[in-house]
Amino acid sequence: MIEFRGKLILLDIEGTVSPLAFVHDVMFPYARKHAAAWLGAHWGHAVIAQLARDAGVISFLNALDAEAAVHRLMDADAKVTGLKQLQGLIWEQGFRTGDLRSTLFDDVVPALGHWHENDREIRIYSSGIIHAQRLFFAHTTAGDLTPHLSGYYDTITGSKREPASYTAIATDCGLPPNDILFISDLVDELNAAQSAGMMTALALRPGNKPQPESGHPVIPSFLEIILA
């Protein structure tokens, strides 16, 4: 159990709100499968020029050339702007057609509702672009959860492993860092948030990668957080 007297709860997505398997086994393969069709249908879109820069070339000769570069970036798990933007655009198509519905851990929906009803602000900080984050929460198996959320941050704010990113988020929220609880499945991220002065909690979820020993409180469920 964690007692939280602060004002804002900041959440990671992958491995914290949603199973790793959904992101890795559903969302990423979906983007890979549909990349060629999307590139062919949207040739000339600004994201393609960004993908070329990410791939280290001036431009692509054709959609097949671009697709090959996208696959290389995906295989390398590259955290680059063009790839993230392309994935977000393909996922948008999937969410809007109903091909995709976000899967959440069972405790997430009741916890978000409880926190919202008790005047706690809830924001998201994920490596996925903000547009993709909004789509993720707008199209869940439990419906649209965006009314519970008041803000989103991605790596444009900074690396999730750098204390300065969390300082910037606290400043943007207009709160002292110790009024914010950050929950993630990765100790490196929690260490950075703690260094910035935030409260932290390690999400212990099924399927998550083992983490090193740390002093961060461990919670298997968001319902372990007691509002005070």
Side-chain angles (χ1 to χ4, degrees):
M1 294 286 185
I2 298 176
E3 187 177 275
F4 180 57
R5 297 177 179 274
K7 303 294 185 183
L8 186 148
I9 298 174
L10 183 66
L11 298 172
D12 171 52
I13 294 178
E14 185 180 341
T16 300
V17 167
S18 178
L20 289 173
F22 175 72
V23 178
H24 287 276
D25 298 343
V26 178
M27 292 189 71
F28 287 161
Y30 185 88
R32 188 183 190 99
K33 177 181 178 181
H34 293 273
W38 194 95
L39 291 165
H42 300 86
W43 194 249
H45 192 286
V47 73
I48 297 173
Q50 180 61 53
L51 280 165
R53 290 191 289 272
D54 293 341
V57 298
I58 296 174
S59 63
F60 297 122
L61 296 175
N62 50 48
L64 288 176
D65 191 24
E67 181 192 10
V70 167
H71 285 182
R72 288 195 299 273
L73 292 170
M74 288 181 175
D75 290 341
D77 193 24
K79 310 295 185 184
V80 291
T81 301
L83 179 59
K84 293 294 183 183
Q85 290 176 340
L86 176 66
Q87 288 171 328
L89 290 165
I90 295 172
W91 291 334
E92 177 176 13
Q93 178 178 286
F95 280 122
R96 296 201 186 284
T97 60
D99 287 346
L100 293 174
R101 283 289 180 271
S102 305
T103 300
L104 308 172
F105 291 111
D106 290 343
D107 57 284
V108 172
V109 173
L112 293 183
H114 177 64
W115 298 340
H116 187 71
E117 290 167 4
N118 284 272
D119 299 320
R120 263 42 174 212
E121 196 173 349
I122 308 163
R123 298 194 184 198
I124 306 299
Y125 184 25
S126 173
S127 59
I129 63 171
I130 289 174
H131 181 59
Q133 295 177 32
R134 292 182 186 275
L135 289 168
F136 181 94
F137 285 101
H139 300 87
T140 79
T141 54
D144 182 2
L145 299 180
T146 57
H148 293 315
L149 306 174
S150 58
Y152 306 83
Y153 302 95
D154 57 20
T155 51
I156 290 176
T157 297
S159 167
K160 296 182 73 182
R161 289 176 167 82
E162 294 295 332
S165 303
Y166 299 88
T167 300
I169 289 173
T171 299
D172 185 68
C173 295
L175 292 171
N178 62 4
D179 257 351
I180 301 173
L181 170 64
F182 176 56
I183 307 174
S184 173
D185 63 314
L186 297 177
V187 164
D188 285 349
E189 295 178 1
L190 297 174
N191 288 343
Q194 188 178 64
S195 294
M198 290 186 184
M199 293 183 64
T200 58
L202 176 64
L204 188 64
R205 300 295 203 177
N208 280 7
K209 298 176 182 177
Q211 294 296 296
E213 291 292 331
S214 71
H216 302 289
V218 176
I219 54 170
S221 165
F222 288 171
L223 302 179
E224 296 280 318
I225 298 168
I226 306 301
L227 303 180

